[in-house]
Amino acid sequence: MGIVFGAVATAVAYFVPWLPAADSKQADRIHFLFWFTTAICIGIFAVVAAVIVYSILKFRVKPDDDSDGVPLHGNTGLEIVWTAIPAVLVTAISIVAAVILVQNGRAGSDALNVDVTAQQFWWQFTYPTLGKFTSPTLNLPVNQPVVLHLKSVDVIHSFWVPQFSQKQDAVPGIETKLVITPEKLGTYPVICTELCGLGHSLMRSTAVVQSKTDFDKWAQQQKAALHGPPGAAGLTVFTAQGCASCHTFTPAKATGKVGPDLDNLTAAAKKAGQPLAAFIKESITNPDAYIAPGFKKGVMPTTFAQTIPADQLQELVTYLQTGQK
Ligand code: CUA
C-alpha cells in the first residue's frame, strides 16, 4: 500500500512541470533542495497514508459491535521512533539548506558587479566596472558569476527572474545583494514581485544572457552610445530613466499608458500657463505641481530631481521639446 501511495505521489511530483527551468547555478542548487525535501515528504506521505488506509480497513467496527475499544496508554517504542526519524530528516534538510545558502551567497573574486536601481515602475542596470553605462535591460555573460547590488529610490521592490529561482528585495536606504551565475543563453523576464504601486504589474524588464563575445560587444556599444551624437543623449536619458514604461512618446517609440501622453506637450503647457521648456522641467522635477486632467497626484515619482544629474536633465528637456509636433 505504501509503495502504491509513494508511486502515485512520485508520479504527480515528477510528471507535472511544477517549476520553471533552472537556468543558473544557484537555481540548480535550489531545485536540488526542493526535490530533496519533496522526496522526504513523499516517503512520509506514503507511510502515513498506508497506515491510515490499512487501519480503516482492518480495524473497522462491525455493525453489531457496541463494545468499547481497548484502553491504550502510550507506546514508548513507537514514540521514540516517530520523534527520532523526523528529527533526523529535519536536521538533514537544515544542513543541506545551510550549505546551499552559503554556496549561493558566494560570488568569487572574478565576479561582475551590476548596480540595480529600482523605482516606480522601472529597473535600471548600471555596469560600474565597464564604463558606468546604464541599460534598461540586464545583460549578462553566460557562466560568469554576477553580483547584483540592489537599491531602491522610492518604495520596496523585489527582483525576480523565475528561471534563476531567487528573489531579492530592493529596499530604500540599504543595499541588498544577489549572486547569479547564468548557465544558458536566452532572454528571461525580470519581474517586480513586491506590490509597489499603480504600475507594479508593468514593472518588468528583460535579462539577456549572452556569450562572452556578444556581451563584450554589447558593452562596447553601450559605452560608445554614452558619448554619442547630439539628441541621442536625450533619448538615452529617456530610456535609462524608464520614462517609456509610463508615457507615450512617438520619437522614442514609447507607448506607456500610466502617465500623460508626451506627444502633445505644447497644448499641455498652454493649459498649465507656462512656457514649454519650463513646463517640461517642472513636470519632471516637481511632478505634483501641475496634474494633467484625468491623472492622479503621487503616481509619477518625485525623486527625479535628485536622481537625474543636471546635464542629463537638460538633455531630456531638450529632447522632449524638439519631439513636439
Ligand atoms: Cu516595483 Cu512592484
Side-chain angles (χ1 to χ4, degrees), residues 96-137:
V96 174
V99 169
I100 288 176
L101 199 61
V102 169
Q103 284 178 331
N104 277 3
R106 211 181 276 152
S109 52
D110 65 333
L112 170 69
N113 289 293
V114 181
D115 291 330
V116 181
T117 308
Q119 69 182 64
Q120 291 169 318
F121 300 99
W122 193 248
W123 297 101
Q124 204 173 282
F125 305 97
T126 307
Y127 294 73
T129 53
L130 298 176
K132 288 194 180 158
F133 61 83
T134 295
S135 161
T137 57

mmCIF file of all heavy atoms in Angstrom, residues 96-137:
data_model
loop_
_atom_site.group_PDB
_atom_site.id
_atom_site.type_symbol
_atom_site.label_atom_id
_atom_site.label_comp_id
_atom_site.label_asym_id
_atom_site.label_seq_id
_atom_site.Cartn_x
_atom_site.Cartn_y
_atom_site.Cartn_z
ATOM 1 N N VAL A 96 21.532 20.568 4.492
ATOM 2 C CA VAL A 96 21.594 20.762 3.028
ATOM 3 C C VAL A 96 21.244 22.218 2.686
ATOM 4 O O VAL A 96 21.924 22.875 1.884
ATOM 5 C CB VAL A 96 20.650 19.777 2.308
ATOM 6 C CG1 VAL A 96 20.598 20.081 0.820
ATOM 7 C CG2 VAL A 96 21.113 18.350 2.532
ATOM 8 N N ALA A 97 20.193 22.763 3.337
ATOM 9 C CA ALA A 97 19.768 24.140 3.056
ATOM 10 C C ALA A 97 20.849 25.141 3.438
ATOM 11 O O ALA A 97 21.126 26.091 2.689
ATOM 12 C CB ALA A 97 18.472 24.451 3.803
ATOM 13 N N ALA A 98 21.497 24.915 4.594
ATOM 14 C CA ALA A 98 22.534 25.851 5.052
ATOM 15 C C ALA A 98 23.718 25.853 4.085
ATOM 16 O O ALA A 98 24.253 26.910 3.733
ATOM 17 C CB ALA A 98 22.990 25.488 6.461
ATOM 18 N N VAL A 99 24.114 24.650 3.625
ATOM 19 C CA VAL A 99 25.246 24.555 2.688
ATOM 20 C C VAL A 99 24.904 25.293 1.397
ATOM 21 O O VAL A 99 25.704 26.077 0.865
ATOM 22 C CB VAL A 99 25.587 23.065 2.401
ATOM 23 C CG1 VAL A 99 26.556 22.948 1.232
ATOM 24 C CG2 VAL A 99 26.157 22.404 3.649
ATOM 25 N N ILE A 100 23.675 25.093 0.887
ATOM 26 C CA ILE A 100 23.262 25.730 -0.365
ATOM 27 C C ILE A 100 23.174 27.251 -0.201
ATOM 28 O O ILE A 100 23.579 28.013 -1.086
ATOM 29 C CB ILE A 100 21.917 25.130 -0.844
ATOM 30 C CG1 ILE A 100 22.185 23.715 -1.360
ATOM 31 C CG2 ILE A 100 21.271 25.985 -1.919
ATOM 32 C CD1 ILE A 100 20.952 22.956 -1.784
ATOM 33 N N LEU A 101 22.678 27.689 0.958
ATOM 34 C CA LEU A 101 22.576 29.130 1.216
ATOM 35 C C LEU A 101 23.964 29.785 1.162
ATOM 36 O O LEU A 101 24.146 30.841 0.541
ATOM 37 C CB LEU A 101 21.945 29.350 2.596
ATOM 38 C CG LEU A 101 21.355 30.725 2.883
ATOM 39 C CD1 LEU A 101 20.236 31.040 1.905
ATOM 40 C CD2 LEU A 101 20.823 30.786 4.313
ATOM 41 N N VAL A 102 24.943 29.120 1.790
ATOM 42 C CA VAL A 102 26.304 29.668 1.783
ATOM 43 C C VAL A 102 26.876 29.665 0.358
ATOM 44 O O VAL A 102 27.425 30.658 -0.117
ATOM 45 C CB VAL A 102 27.216 28.856 2.742
ATOM 46 C CG1 VAL A 102 28.678 29.244 2.547
ATOM 47 C CG2 VAL A 102 26.782 29.073 4.183
ATOM 48 N N GLN A 103 26.687 28.533 -0.347
ATOM 49 C CA GLN A 103 27.211 28.440 -1.724
ATOM 50 C C GLN A 103 26.569 29.506 -2.619
ATOM 51 O O GLN A 103 27.249 30.139 -3.430
ATOM 52 C CB GLN A 103 26.897 27.059 -2.306
ATOM 53 C CG GLN A 103 27.798 25.965 -1.759
ATOM 54 C CD GLN A 103 27.429 24.601 -2.328
ATOM 55 O OE1 GLN A 103 26.265 24.362 -2.667
ATOM 56 N NE2 GLN A 103 28.399 23.718 -2.425
ATOM 57 N N ASN A 104 25.265 29.718 -2.477
ATOM 58 C CA ASN A 104 24.564 30.673 -3.339
ATOM 59 C C ASN A 104 24.906 32.126 -3.015
ATOM 60 O O ASN A 104 24.648 33.016 -3.809
ATOM 61 C CB ASN A 104 23.052 30.461 -3.270
ATOM 62 C CG ASN A 104 22.592 29.346 -4.189
ATOM 63 O OD1 ASN A 104 23.420 28.704 -4.841
ATOM 64 N ND2 ASN A 104 21.306 29.104 -4.253
ATOM 65 N N GLY A 105 25.458 32.364 -1.824
ATOM 66 C CA GLY A 105 25.836 33.728 -1.480
ATOM 67 C C GLY A 105 27.255 34.064 -1.887
ATOM 68 O O GLY A 105 27.699 35.196 -1.779
ATOM 69 N N ARG A 106 27.990 33.056 -2.363
ATOM 70 C CA ARG A 106 29.396 33.233 -2.692
ATOM 71 C C ARG A 106 29.549 33.539 -4.175
ATOM 72 O O ARG A 106 29.038 32.800 -5.013
ATOM 73 C CB ARG A 106 30.128 31.920 -2.351
ATOM 74 C CG ARG A 106 31.557 32.122 -1.936
ATOM 75 C CD ARG A 106 32.217 30.788 -1.652
ATOM 76 N NE ARG A 106 31.969 30.277 -0.303
ATOM 77 C CZ ARG A 106 31.954 28.975 0.006
ATOM 78 N NH1 ARG A 106 32.144 28.066 -0.923
ATOM 79 N NH2 ARG A 106 31.756 28.600 1.249
ATOM 80 N N ALA A 107 30.250 34.634 -4.500
ATOM 81 C CA ALA A 107 30.373 35.011 -5.911
ATOM 82 C C ALA A 107 31.776 34.751 -6.457
ATOM 83 O O ALA A 107 31.969 34.628 -7.648
ATOM 84 C CB ALA A 107 30.035 36.485 -6.080
ATOM 85 N N GLY A 108 32.780 34.659 -5.576
ATOM 86 C CA GLY A 108 34.142 34.515 -6.060
ATOM 87 C C GLY A 108 34.724 35.878 -6.389
ATOM 88 O O GLY A 108 34.015 36.881 -6.427
ATOM 89 N N SER A 109 36.040 35.892 -6.649
ATOM 90 C CA SER A 109 36.729 37.175 -6.797
ATOM 91 C C SER A 109 36.611 37.745 -8.206
ATOM 92 O O SER A 109 36.844 38.930 -8.425
ATOM 93 C CB SER A 109 38.198 37.006 -6.422
ATOM 94 O OG SER A 109 38.733 35.926 -7.159
ATOM 95 N N ASP A 110 36.243 36.926 -9.192
ATOM 96 C CA ASP A 110 36.176 37.433 -10.574
ATOM 97 C C ASP A 110 34.751 37.816 -10.963
ATOM 98 O O ASP A 110 34.418 37.886 -12.133
ATOM 99 C CB ASP A 110 36.721 36.376 -11.548
ATOM 100 C CG ASP A 110 35.845 35.127 -11.558
ATOM 101 O OD1 ASP A 110 35.182 34.864 -10.528
ATOM 102 O OD2 ASP A 110 35.810 34.430 -12.597
ATOM 103 N N ALA A 111 33.905 38.079 -9.957
ATOM 104 C CA ALA A 111 32.503 38.372 -10.253
ATOM 105 C C ALA A 111 32.341 39.721 -10.948
ATOM 106 O O ALA A 111 33.116 40.647 -10.733
ATOM 107 C CB ALA A 111 31.685 38.351 -8.971
ATOM 108 N N LEU A 112 31.306 39.793 -11.800
ATOM 109 C CA LEU A 112 30.946 41.051 -12.454
ATOM 110 C C LEU A 112 29.938 41.767 -11.555
ATOM 111 O O LEU A 112 28.981 41.149 -11.090
ATOM 112 C CB LEU A 112 30.309 40.748 -13.818
ATOM 113 C CG LEU A 112 29.646 41.913 -14.558
ATOM 114 C CD1 LEU A 112 30.691 42.917 -15.040
ATOM 115 C CD2 LEU A 112 28.825 41.403 -15.736
ATOM 116 N N ASN A 113 30.173 43.050 -11.282
ATOM 117 C CA ASN A 113 29.243 43.803 -10.430
ATOM 118 C C ASN A 113 28.266 44.603 -11.281
ATOM 119 O O ASN A 113 28.676 45.266 -12.232
ATOM 120 C CB ASN A 113 30.016 44.758 -9.517
ATOM 121 C CG ASN A 113 30.765 43.984 -8.445
ATOM 122 O OD1 ASN A 113 30.164 43.379 -7.568
ATOM 123 N ND2 ASN A 113 32.090 43.953 -8.550
ATOM 124 N N VAL A 114 26.993 44.528 -10.943
ATOM 125 C CA VAL A 114 25.980 45.327 -11.627
ATOM 126 C C VAL A 114 25.147 46.042 -10.565
ATOM 127 O O VAL A 114 24.678 45.412 -9.613
ATOM 128 C CB VAL A 114 25.052 44.458 -12.507
ATOM 129 C CG1 VAL A 114 24.022 45.323 -13.224
ATOM 130 C CG2 VAL A 114 25.861 43.656 -13.518
ATOM 131 N N ASP A 115 25.020 47.357 -10.704
ATOM 132 C CA ASP A 115 24.167 48.126 -9.791
ATOM 133 C C ASP A 115 22.748 48.133 -10.341
ATOM 134 O O ASP A 115 22.525 48.536 -11.477
ATOM 135 C CB ASP A 115 24.678 49.566 -9.657
ATOM 136 C CG ASP A 115 26.006 49.610 -8.920
ATOM 137 O OD1 ASP A 115 26.225 48.726 -8.061
ATOM 138 O OD2 ASP A 115 26.816 50.508 -9.211
ATOM 139 N N VAL A 116 21.816 47.687 -9.519
ATOM 140 C CA VAL A 116 20.417 47.634 -9.942
ATOM 141 C C VAL A 116 19.649 48.707 -9.173
ATOM 142 O O VAL A 116 19.670 48.724 -7.947
ATOM 143 C CB VAL A 116 19.810 46.249 -9.639
ATOM 144 C CG1 VAL A 116 18.359 46.197 -10.110
ATOM 145 C CG2 VAL A 116 20.633 45.155 -10.296
ATOM 146 N N THR A 117 19.018 49.616 -9.925
ATOM 147 C CA THR A 117 18.204 50.635 -9.272
ATOM 148 C C THR A 117 16.743 50.375 -9.597
ATOM 149 O O THR A 117 16.367 50.281 -10.756
ATOM 150 C CB THR A 117 18.606 52.045 -9.756
ATOM 151 O OG1 THR A 117 20.008 52.186 -9.594
ATOM 152 C CG2 THR A 117 17.878 53.115 -8.942
ATOM 153 N N ALA A 118 15.941 50.234 -8.545
ATOM 154 C CA ALA A 118 14.510 50.019 -8.726
ATOM 155 C C ALA A 118 13.800 51.311 -8.382
ATOM 156 O O ALA A 118 14.158 51.994 -7.430
ATOM 157 C CB ALA A 118 14.028 48.898 -7.821
ATOM 158 N N GLN A 119 12.828 51.677 -9.196
ATOM 159 C CA GLN A 119 11.996 52.825 -8.868
ATOM 160 C C GLN A 119 10.645 52.611 -9.522
ATOM 161 O O GLN A 119 10.518 51.809 -10.439
ATOM 162 C CB GLN A 119 12.639 54.124 -9.337
ATOM 163 C CG GLN A 119 12.685 54.291 -10.847
ATOM 164 C CD GLN A 119 13.382 55.581 -11.227
ATOM 165 O OE1 GLN A 119 14.558 55.770 -10.967
ATOM 166 N NE2 GLN A 119 12.630 56.466 -11.833
ATOM 167 N N GLN A 120 9.624 53.329 -9.027
ATOM 168 C CA GLN A 120 8.296 53.181 -9.622
ATOM 169 C C GLN A 120 8.353 53.658 -11.065
ATOM 170 O O GLN A 120 8.619 54.834 -11.293
ATOM 171 C CB GLN A 120 7.281 54.008 -8.846
ATOM 172 C CG GLN A 120 7.028 53.451 -7.441
ATOM 173 C CD GLN A 120 6.231 54.415 -6.606
ATOM 174 O OE1 GLN A 120 6.484 55.614 -6.634
ATOM 175 N NE2 GLN A 120 5.281 53.929 -5.850
ATOM 176 N N PHE A 121 8.167 52.903 -12.076
ATOM 177 C CA PHE A 121 7.969 51.476 -12.100
ATOM 178 C C PHE A 121 8.934 50.922 -13.136
ATOM 179 O O PHE A 121 8.542 50.624 -14.241
ATOM 180 C CB PHE A 121 6.512 51.156 -12.493
ATOM 181 C CG PHE A 121 5.537 51.774 -11.487
ATOM 182 C CD1 PHE A 121 4.899 52.972 -11.766
ATOM 183 C CD2 PHE A 121 5.329 51.158 -10.253
ATOM 184 C CE1 PHE A 121 4.037 53.535 -10.839
ATOM 185 C CE2 PHE A 121 4.460 51.720 -9.330
ATOM 186 C CZ PHE A 121 3.818 52.910 -9.618
ATOM 187 N N TRP A 122 10.184 50.858 -12.742
ATOM 188 C CA TRP A 122 11.225 50.612 -13.732
ATOM 189 C C TRP A 122 12.475 50.029 -13.104
ATOM 190 O O TRP A 122 12.766 50.265 -11.936
ATOM 191 C CB TRP A 122 11.585 51.953 -14.401
ATOM 192 C CG TRP A 122 12.413 51.808 -15.627
ATOM 193 C CD1 TRP A 122 13.720 52.203 -15.767
ATOM 194 C CD2 TRP A 122 12.033 51.243 -16.874
ATOM 195 N NE1 TRP A 122 14.148 51.907 -17.021
ATOM 196 C CE2 TRP A 122 13.141 51.320 -17.729
ATOM 197 C CE3 TRP A 122 10.857 50.666 -17.341
ATOM 198 C CZ2 TRP A 122 13.109 50.841 -19.034
ATOM 199 C CZ3 TRP A 122 10.832 50.187 -18.644
ATOM 200 C CH2 TRP A 122 11.939 50.294 -19.474
ATOM 201 N N TRP A 123 13.217 49.267 -13.893
ATOM 202 C CA TRP A 123 14.508 48.748 -13.475
ATOM 203 C C TRP A 123 15.595 49.448 -14.286
ATOM 204 O O TRP A 123 15.414 49.713 -15.463
ATOM 205 C CB TRP A 123 14.614 47.247 -13.748
ATOM 206 C CG TRP A 123 13.649 46.427 -12.991
ATOM 207 C CD1 TRP A 123 12.477 45.900 -13.478
ATOM 208 C CD2 TRP A 123 13.723 46.024 -11.635
ATOM 209 N NE1 TRP A 123 11.842 45.195 -12.492
ATOM 210 C CE2 TRP A 123 12.592 45.256 -11.343
ATOM 211 C CE3 TRP A 123 14.659 46.250 -10.617
ATOM 212 C CZ2 TRP A 123 12.355 44.699 -10.099
ATOM 213 C CZ3 TRP A 123 14.419 45.692 -9.377
ATOM 214 C CH2 TRP A 123 13.274 44.923 -9.125
ATOM 215 N N GLN A 124 16.717 49.699 -13.630
ATOM 216 C CA GLN A 124 17.835 50.347 -14.306
ATOM 217 C C GLN A 124 19.102 49.593 -13.898
ATOM 218 O O GLN A 124 19.308 49.323 -12.720
ATOM 219 C CB GLN A 124 17.900 51.769 -13.796
ATOM 220 C CG GLN A 124 18.552 52.737 -14.706
ATOM 221 C CD GLN A 124 18.384 54.124 -14.121
ATOM 222 O OE1 GLN A 124 17.344 54.729 -14.222
ATOM 223 N NE2 GLN A 124 19.413 54.597 -13.457
ATOM 224 N N PHE A 125 19.920 49.233 -14.882
ATOM 225 C CA PHE A 125 21.102 48.420 -14.587
ATOM 226 C C PHE A 125 22.360 49.184 -15.003
ATOM 227 O O PHE A 125 22.504 49.563 -16.166
ATOM 228 C CB PHE A 125 21.016 47.084 -15.330
ATOM 229 C CG PHE A 125 19.733 46.336 -15.019
ATOM 230 C CD1 PHE A 125 18.638 46.422 -15.872
ATOM 231 C CD2 PHE A 125 19.607 45.596 -13.857
ATOM 232 C CE1 PHE A 125 17.447 45.777 -15.581
ATOM 233 C CE2 PHE A 125 18.427 44.939 -13.551
ATOM 234 C CZ PHE A 125 17.346 45.025 -14.419
ATOM 235 N N THR A 126 23.241 49.438 -14.031
ATOM 236 C CA THR A 126 24.469 50.170 -14.303
ATOM 237 C C THR A 126 25.662 49.238 -14.115
ATOM 238 O O THR A 126 25.690 48.445 -13.179
ATOM 239 C CB THR A 126 24.585 51.386 -13.369
ATOM 240 O OG1 THR A 126 23.393 52.157 -13.484
ATOM 241 C CG2 THR A 126 25.776 52.259 -13.747
ATOM 242 N N TYR A 127 26.625 49.361 -15.043
ATOM 243 C CA TYR A 127 27.805 48.494 -15.018
ATOM 244 C C TYR A 127 29.010 49.322 -14.587
ATOM 245 O O TYR A 127 29.698 49.904 -15.435
ATOM 246 C CB TYR A 127 28.015 47.877 -16.414
ATOM 247 C CG TYR A 127 26.893 46.935 -16.801
ATOM 248 C CD1 TYR A 127 25.631 47.412 -17.148
ATOM 249 C CD2 TYR A 127 27.074 45.562 -16.775
ATOM 250 C CE1 TYR A 127 24.591 46.555 -17.462
ATOM 251 C CE2 TYR A 127 26.035 44.679 -17.101
ATOM 252 C CZ TYR A 127 24.803 45.183 -17.430
ATOM 253 O OH TYR A 127 23.771 44.335 -17.733
ATOM 254 N N PRO A 128 29.278 49.407 -13.275
ATOM 255 C CA PRO A 128 30.287 50.342 -12.774
ATOM 256 C C PRO A 128 31.710 50.031 -13.242
ATOM 257 O O PRO A 128 32.524 50.933 -13.370
ATOM 258 C CB PRO A 128 30.162 50.213 -11.248
ATOM 259 C CG PRO A 128 29.524 48.900 -11.013
ATOM 260 C CD PRO A 128 28.641 48.646 -12.198
ATOM 261 N N THR A 129 32.018 48.766 -13.512
ATOM 262 C CA THR A 129 33.395 48.432 -13.893
ATOM 263 C C THR A 129 33.582 48.401 -15.403
ATOM 264 O O THR A 129 34.675 48.164 -15.900
ATOM 265 C CB THR A 129 33.787 47.055 -13.330
ATOM 266 O OG1 THR A 129 32.792 46.106 -13.746
ATOM 267 C CG2 THR A 129 33.859 47.080 -11.814
ATOM 268 N N LEU A 130 32.507 48.632 -16.158
ATOM 269 C CA LEU A 130 32.620 48.546 -17.619
ATOM 270 C C LEU A 130 32.338 49.894 -18.278
ATOM 271 O O LEU A 130 31.782 49.959 -19.368
ATOM 272 C CB LEU A 130 31.647 47.492 -18.164
ATOM 273 C CG LEU A 130 31.882 46.055 -17.689
ATOM 274 C CD1 LEU A 130 30.802 45.135 -18.218
ATOM 275 C CD2 LEU A 130 33.250 45.566 -18.143
ATOM 276 N N GLY A 131 32.624 50.989 -17.585
ATOM 277 C CA GLY A 131 32.424 52.303 -18.196
ATOM 278 C C GLY A 131 31.205 53.032 -17.666
ATOM 279 O O GLY A 131 30.825 54.062 -18.185
ATOM 280 N N LYS A 132 30.555 52.470 -16.648
ATOM 281 C CA LYS A 132 29.460 53.154 -15.948
ATOM 282 C C LYS A 132 28.266 53.473 -16.824
ATOM 283 O O LYS A 132 27.539 54.418 -16.562
ATOM 284 C CB LYS A 132 29.966 54.455 -15.306
ATOM 285 C CG LYS A 132 30.855 54.207 -14.110
ATOM 286 C CD LYS A 132 31.054 55.470 -13.325
ATOM 287 C CE LYS A 132 31.943 55.209 -12.126
ATOM 288 N NZ LYS A 132 32.591 56.380 -11.607
ATOM 289 N N PHE A 133 28.066 52.719 -17.882
ATOM 290 C CA PHE A 133 26.875 52.978 -18.678
ATOM 291 C C PHE A 133 25.662 52.347 -17.995
ATOM 292 O O PHE A 133 25.802 51.464 -17.141
ATOM 293 C CB PHE A 133 27.034 52.445 -20.107
ATOM 294 C CG PHE A 133 27.251 50.968 -20.171
ATOM 295 C CD1 PHE A 133 26.175 50.089 -20.124
ATOM 296 C CD2 PHE A 133 28.533 50.443 -20.287
ATOM 297 C CE1 PHE A 133 26.367 48.726 -20.167
ATOM 298 C CE2 PHE A 133 28.737 49.077 -20.329
ATOM 299 C CZ PHE A 133 27.655 48.225 -20.264
ATOM 300 N N THR A 134 24.489 52.826 -18.370
ATOM 301 C CA THR A 134 23.249 52.351 -17.765
ATOM 302 C C THR A 134 22.362 51.760 -18.839
ATOM 303 O O THR A 134 22.263 52.308 -19.942
ATOM 304 C CB THR A 134 22.540 53.524 -17.070
ATOM 305 O OG1 THR A 134 23.371 53.952 -16.004
ATOM 306 C CG2 THR A 134 21.198 53.103 -16.507
ATOM 307 N N SER A 135 21.751 50.620 -18.516
ATOM 308 C CA SER A 135 20.929 49.930 -19.506
ATOM 309 C C SER A 135 19.559 49.603 -18.913
ATOM 310 O O SER A 135 19.443 49.308 -17.730
ATOM 311 C CB SER A 135 21.643 48.635 -19.922
ATOM 312 O OG SER A 135 20.726 47.749 -20.530
ATOM 313 N N PRO A 136 18.496 49.648 -19.741
ATOM 314 C CA PRO A 136 17.184 49.236 -19.245
ATOM 315 C C PRO A 136 17.036 47.712 -19.206
ATOM 316 O O PRO A 136 16.090 47.202 -18.625
ATOM 317 C CB PRO A 136 16.212 49.855 -20.253
ATOM 318 C CG PRO A 136 17.003 50.015 -21.495
ATOM 319 C CD PRO A 136 18.442 50.195 -21.105
ATOM 320 N N THR A 137 17.958 46.980 -19.843
ATOM 321 C CA THR A 137 17.933 45.518 -19.786
ATOM 322 C C THR A 137 19.141 45.025 -18.999
ATOM 323 O O THR A 137 20.168 45.687 -18.946
ATOM 324 C CB THR A 137 17.984 44.886 -21.191
ATOM 325 O OG1 THR A 137 19.167 45.356 -21.849
ATOM 326 C CG2 THR A 137 16.761 45.257 -22.003
#
